[in-house]
Amino acid sequence: MDPQSQFCPNLQCVMRGVVGGTHLRIHSHKDNRYRCRHCGKTFSGRANTAFYRLHHPEAEVEQVITLLGYGCPVAAIVMAFGLDERTVLAWAQRAAKASAGVHQQYIERWREVNEVQCDEMRVRIQGAIVWMALAIESKTRLWLAGTVRFQRDMTLLKQLLKQVKACVSALTLGVLIVTDGLNLYPRAIRQTFREPVPTGKRGRPRLHAWPHVCIAQVVKAYRGRTLVGVERRIVQGSPEQVEALRYKARGAGVINTAFIERLNGTFRARIAPLVRRTHALVRSPSRLDDAMWLVGTVYNFCDDHRSLRLMGLVGGHRWLAQTPAMAAGLTDHRWSVGDLLRFRVPPPPLPPPKGSPGRPRKSQPPPQTLHG
């Protein structure tokens, strides 16, 4: 037990989410509990993890989530482990929440990104059609963002691009966004990648677009189910800027959407409702969203990508395997699914007090007392 690696999960404590310091003490070695000296509350070492208040062994939960993350059907897990279907779905929801926390802490941070590819998938659910939009960084094959909505409209694209924006530094020298031929993408990108510039005057400040944001589209023409032509358009930016960013990201080739299409294939292989002409339909978009977070985070942190391996002699091996998170410099080792489930999601920071401090009040003189 290490108090320096823990944080207080009490939402009413001003030290919530703060790792390290001297405000945490070991409360019970037997029960794996800690105590915060600031608020006086005790908490379990498994608080804010996917294992919190679960009565099943951790090894069994880890095996079930591993199978779910790699595309095993829920019905097969129910038959193999003798579990109830509702139990498996509840564990999947816990794992999705932990995966979203890992994504927020590691992926959604400002860094230099040269090329991003975006695409959408049409998904059949029970009684309806939904759309899943995904985004990937070309250089590191890192899954950056994903969202699920009923309509393929500006709201879907803006939610996706808002997550992408959280991963890209505003000080970067340039970013290339490659999409398919959907005509809503250029306007959604321009409306998302901009920042307010305060002028010191009253009223809402103007929004200024990010400089050096290039947009390219790959438009494919089909005759029936046969691909008959591909047109590559540069919607925003000069050809020289696009080539420079594309060379930084991949080094060779032409403008394409190959990486996001390969990621779509991974998601289709591991999420049964994404398979074309399938009878495995989900009942609600929330379950599809949970599966997206679980599969995407497992892909980022737990899967070795063949195109990312490095040459060298490490432990007698000729090649050094890398995950997308390792290639992006977010971690130095490949995570297991257990590491993902044991990740402690910190609570949101304490909000600042409402209102501005304003001008300090004048000190009032102490009340006078009359002495008889």
Side-chain angles (χ1 to χ4, degrees), residues 113-115 168-177 189 193 209-215 236-238 241-242 245 248:
V113 177
N114 300 120
E115 181 181 347
V168 181
S169 173
L171 304 178
T172 184
L173 298 179
V175 57
L176 171 62
I177 303 178
I189 294 172
F193 284 84
W210 282 20
H212 312 301
V213 174
C214 301
I215 306 173
Q236 181 172 304
S238 65
Q241 289 177 320
V242 172
L245 293 172
K248 286 183 179 179

Side-chain angles (χ1 to χ4, degrees), residues 310-327:
L310 302 175
M311 295 183 61
L313 296 176
V314 179
H317 298 282
R318 185 175 180 180
W319 294 94
L320 177 62
Q322 280 195 124
T323 63
M326 294 173 61

